[in-house]
Amino acid sequence: MATDTPFPDAGAQATRKRGGGARRTRKAALHLGGIAVSLIVTLLGLIAITFFIGRVVPIDPALAVVGDRAPKAVYEAARVQLGLDKPLIVQFVTYVKAVATGDLGMSVSTGRPVLQDLKEVFPATLEMATLGILIGIALGVPMGVHAAAKQGSLTDQVIRVVGLAGYAIPAFWLGLVGLAVFYARLQWVDGPGRVDIAYDGLVTPVTGLMLVDSLLAGETDIFFNAIGHLALPACILGFFSLAYIARMTRSFMLDQLAQEYITTARVKGLPERVVIWRHAFRPILLPLITVCALSYAALLEGSVMIETIFSWPGIGNYLTVALLNADMAAVLGATLLIGTVFIIINKVSDALYDVLDPRAR
Amino acid sequence: MSAPLLAVENLKVTFPSPSGPVDVVKGISFSLGRERLGIVGESGSGKSMTGRSILGLVRAPGKVSATRLEFDGMDLLKQGEKAMRKIRGARISMVMQDPKFSLNPVMTVGEQIAEALVAHKRLPRREIAARVRAMLEAVRINDPDRVAGLYPHEISGGMGQRVMIAMMLIPEPDILIADEPTSALDVSVQAQVLDIIDDLVRNKGMGLILISHDLNLVAHYCDRVLVMNSGRLVEDCAASELKNAQHPYTRGLLAAQPRLDETRDELPVIDRTTWSAT
Amino acid sequence: MAFADMRNWLLDESPASRRQARWGRIFRISLAFRGNALAMVGLVIVLALIAMAVFAPWIATHDPIAQDTYARLRPPSAANWMGTDELGRDIWSRVVFGARITLAIVILVAVLAAPAGLLIGAAAGYLGGWVDRVLMGITDIFLSMPKLILALALVAALGPGIENAILAIAVTSWPSYARIARAETLTFKNADFIAASRLQGASSLRIVVGHILPLCTSSMIVRVTLDMAGIILTAAGLGFIGLGAQPPLPEWGAMIARGRTFILDQWWVATMPGFAIIVVSLGFCFLGDGLRDVLDPKSGEKH
Ligand SMILES: Nc1ncnc2c1ncn2[C@@H]1O[C@H](COP(=O)(O)OP(=O)(O)O)[C@@H](O)[C@H]1O
Ligand SMILES: [Mg+2]
């Protein structure tokens, strides 16, 4: 943007720059403001969608709550209690208010407030997905860079195959096969659950993250046991994020390596390592942050399928149980939570882009 | 003239194509001393490929071959990648066409200049900063300390190209190749940038290869001129002799140059039928 | 010789008629496509899927739902190529009949979601102004939602079943088509031939339907093909959880779910349908990549 009109002398350049500084901060602030607004709008959209799913799609939500053999009086009471006698828009406003204050209703299956359930199960999912994304980033980024730098090399071929596998293999199937191979046959890892039954309930949840809590309690046995249980599901999630991250890194890097300034760097006589990591890789850091954020969000979502397989007491498992019991309050609560985290990750990575990019600053 | 710094004989650059390999540079020969050599020709005639093959930077699938490609007694085609890296920047350097694309957008100008120096010399930090500042001053940037901290998008095209020159001259190479260094710039700053190149090259007694499609410009800034047409050299003469050039293509280029005292209504079109079959 | 004449006619750089131009284009595209080995593999897989679905009764060796308690959990053999499940049903035959379900899901989702996205995107792009802003605002909201979770919640509300699963997947996949259609529309909107037909008095609807939609189709076909793998995986996931196709339908995801219990000793029950899913998804990926390379080369690897 600044290079559109060349300024012949540095004096004019300097004046323009000084004036530009304030303008640019204002622009960045405006942009961040825009992201904040779109965050709020999108969250409202999410609430509208869950409202729609919960109140409009079922033929009669009251019937769904009381069952079809309930006496008429009970049914009517339920209708009034649910606010179904009011106009839809009033119901929506009530719903938004309830969600905003954390009132997600009661779960039919656990008999407890949905919010309280979610607070308990979410850390387990977070722990698994976080480890998964760390594996995906730690392996996927260097692999993608290497594949682009050495097109046609072994890494390049591996990434092609892994990238395709990431598209074509069902996560739940891979989890099942992984369990059969690495747990049952090879016994490299521990089986389903977060820890062995013998260790269950021994550490008091502080953060809800088993690895952290066991260390806080000084229980290294439990810590290593938890790693044994976490390893396989995290690696499987890691595999899917690796597939995506490596493929995107490779494609970004190929774009970069075709740029003129890469030739400039080579003209200077820089070693290939510097050309690749400093000149080609640094400009893709920002888009990569976005890719990793998207991948992280996708893992939180994808854990739904994995958790069932590994009897992992996280939000995915909670959601699946609720789905099968038609426990709509729990289903919608879990949907809202995953959706909110998903949206926030997305928007924060957008904002990060603006804050960190020297060209947007 | 002293012994040539660079000797090129029968240089070819070949690209594969669906209908067999295509030579985009078709066996050209020239030599360069500590002088200013111009290469002119229309777009696509192979000027950039000639420049890049000297640096060993023709990208795959392009292939370079020559009966002789010698720099300072070294056969450039026989040097390994590591030896070439020692030559690039330090001994032969190149100013690229458009600073908008040839400067790294996420590194400050100062970083990029310093890096060109550090790649070839181990120097204490303070000295590097001093040399960068001196170099920026040499390309007539008034407030070098401030400019060094800017990103490429924050400076103008003319200043970008001066930064580029600073970057390429800071390791004090023997040969500078300038590949259309001003064609992306505003007309008002073109002369300024060329004057800076001219000044520095002459003061340091370097060899210069100035690539351009502008015959007048080359004639003005160079001692000797090569004219290229679709991969071949069609003219090799002293700049002062240019108006006596014989080859019909060169004559055509000369005739097509508009002049200030212009009285023609229409500029003539080069008649290619007289010399080429391609 | 006639063949060579035909080829020359097709590859003519200056076609004399509209028909020659169109056939020439198709010929050139198919030439480029044939040169792409992976794309051909993809095409073969997808054709095989279609053939399997159409000729399932002849390809299958057994009745897919006939139970045989004496032949429970048999490993793969000459009689049962992929073994049998816990009710003694032949897994190969179930996989073959499952192709019908997979194909039906894929086609129905494409038929529901793509035209919806196309219309919304084209309308937004062509009409511009507040229509554009509202439609794209909604599209963006949908795009930043977790698709799988929304589909799950929607099926939970609608009730489990294959029809509802298809509907839920379609509801969550139209937004990306709308985005593409809008982008394409914007590039064509100000083209001279659109202006010309506007001058001739064509209505907006007519221009959108008659001129703009046909121009979006090639990028749409590419995108839909590339999305197929994801659709198949989502449908299988719904089936696996128990919200998709209901028993005794031989849906691949549901078959994996039934095989879960036996994964340690009778591995074939769960793995075989998984291979089917993988092969078919890969087929659509290859085909989509190949189609993109010949139909829409500019879009690159951005999906
Ligand atoms: N990667 C490539 N593949 C095939 N041909 C190329 C490639 N790069 C350049 N060329 C061809 O080489 C010729 C010379 O290019 P170049 O040296 O850049 O011309 P100039 O700098 O004189 O404008 C051009 O005709 C161009 O089409
Ligand atoms: Mg050039």
Side-chain angles (χ1 to χ4, degrees), chain B residues 178-234:
Chain B
D179 189 353
E180 313 234 11
T182 55
S183 38
L185 302 185
D186 216 52
V187 190
S188 54
V189 291
Q190 287 187 351
Q192 191 191 16
V193 166
L194 284 167
D195 285 340
I196 291 173
I197 295 182
D198 194 48
D199 230 34
L200 293 170
V201 164
R202 281 213 249 194
N203 286 342
K204 297 191 170 154
M206 299 163 48
L208 170 71
I209 298 180
L210 178 59
I211 297 176
S212 173
H213 54 255
D214 184 341
L215 203 54
N216 280 338
L217 188 147
V218 168
H220 184 256
Y221 284 97
C222 294
D223 311 313
R224 208 146 58 79
V225 177
L226 307 178
V227 180
M228 275 185 91
N229 176 231
S230 59
R232 291 200 177 82
L233 272 191
V234 296

Side-chain angles (χ1 to χ4, degrees), chain C residues 21 67 79 89 97 103 124 130 137 145 148 156 168 187 217 228 242 248 262 275 280 284 290 303:
Chain C
Q67 306 183 2
R89 295 174 297 195
F97 274 90
L103 198 63
W130 64 268
M145 297 289 158
L148 176 66
T187 61
T217 42
M228 287 297 174
F262 317 106
F275 287 130
V280 172
F284 278 109
H303 66 281

Side-chain angles (χ1 to χ4, degrees), chain B residues 55-265:
Chain B
L55 283 161
L57 286 177
V58 173
R59 285 189 187 182
K63 281 208 168 61
V64 180
S65 70
T67 35
R68 186 160 167 232
L69 186 58
E70 218 168 80
F71 164 71
D72 197 17
M74 286 178 283
D75 183 348
L76 289 179
L77 289 178
K78 292 236 170 65
Q79 306 296 316
E81 188 50 33
K82 206 165 171 195
M84 276 313 286
R85 275 207 295 272
K86 288 218 177 91
I87 295 173
R88 285 184 207 133
R91 313 231 29 214
I92 308 176
S93 202
M94 180 160 81
V95 170
M96 320 254 295
Q97 182 168 344
D98 190 344
K100 218 185 262 171
F101 302 114
S102 52
L103 294 176
N104 190 319
V106 301
M107 285 170 75
T108 61
V109 162
E111 258 182 292
Q112 295 187 57
I113 299 175
E115 175 190 65
L117 181 61
V118 175
H120 301 287
K121 281 201 185 78
R122 286 191 166 277
L123 288 174
R125 194 177 278 262
R126 190 168 312 144
E127 176 150 6
I128 295 170
R131 297 261 314 251
V132 169
R133 186 178 314 115
M135 197 64 230
L136 282 170
E137 273 165 0
V139 294
R140 301 181 202 164
I141 285 174
N142 298 334
D143 42 359
D145 291 322
R146 189 184 62 83
V147 173
L150 296 179
Y151 287 94
H153 73 273
E154 297 172 316
I155 60 180
S156 67
M159 193 186 278
Q161 205 56 319
R162 282 182 278 160
V163 165
M164 186 77 191
I165 295 167
M167 197 155 81
M168 290 308 171
L169 290 185
I170 199 167
E172 307 189 322
D174 301 293
I175 296 178
L176 179 70
I177 302 169
D179 189 353
E180 313 234 11
T182 55
S183 38
L185 302 185
D186 216 52
V187 190
S188 54
V189 291
Q190 287 187 351
Q192 191 191 16
V193 166
L194 284 167
D195 285 340
I196 291 173
I197 295 182
D198 194 48
D199 230 34
L200 293 170
V201 164
R202 281 213 249 194
N203 286 342
K204 297 191 170 154
M206 299 163 48
L208 170 71
I209 298 180
L210 178 59
I211 297 176
S212 173
H213 54 255
D214 184 341
L215 203 54
N216 280 338
L217 188 147
V218 168
H220 184 256
Y221 284 97
C222 294
D223 311 313
R224 208 146 58 79
V225 177
L226 307 178
V227 180
M228 275 185 91
N229 176 231
S230 59
R232 291 200 177 82
L233 272 191
V234 296
E235 195 80 53
D236 179 351
C237 67
S240 50
E241 298 293 307
L242 205 52
K243 48 188 170 303
N244 307 325
Q246 291 308 311
H247 195 277
Y249 179 71
T250 319
R251 298 219 57 84
L253 277 186
L254 282 169
Q257 299 279 337
R259 284 185 307 271
L260 277 180
D261 53 350
E262 194 69 85
T263 51
R264 296 175 288 186
D265 286 336

Side-chain angles (χ1 to χ4, degrees), chain A residues 297-333:
Chain A
L299 284 196
L300 285 174
E301 191 188 10
S303 61
V304 174
M305 292 292 172
I306 287 285
E307 285 181 6
T308 341
I309 306 274
F310 288 93
S311 312
W312 197 261
I315 192 165
N317 219 343
Y318 180 74
L319 178 60
T320 329
V321 172
L323 284 170
L324 295 177
N325 295 336
D327 181 356
M328 280 315 278
V331 168
L332 295 179

Side-chain angles (χ1 to χ4, degrees), chain A residues 105 212 328 354:
Chain A
V212 177
M328 280 315 278
D354 279 13

Side-chain angles (χ1 to χ4, degrees), chain B residues 15-16 24-25 41-50 59-62 179-180 211:
Chain B
F15 280 97
V24 299
V25 176
E42 61 194 294
S43 172
S45 55
K47 308 177 302 281
S48 297
M49 285 299 149
T50 305
R59 285 189 187 182
D179 189 353
E180 313 234 11
I211 297 176

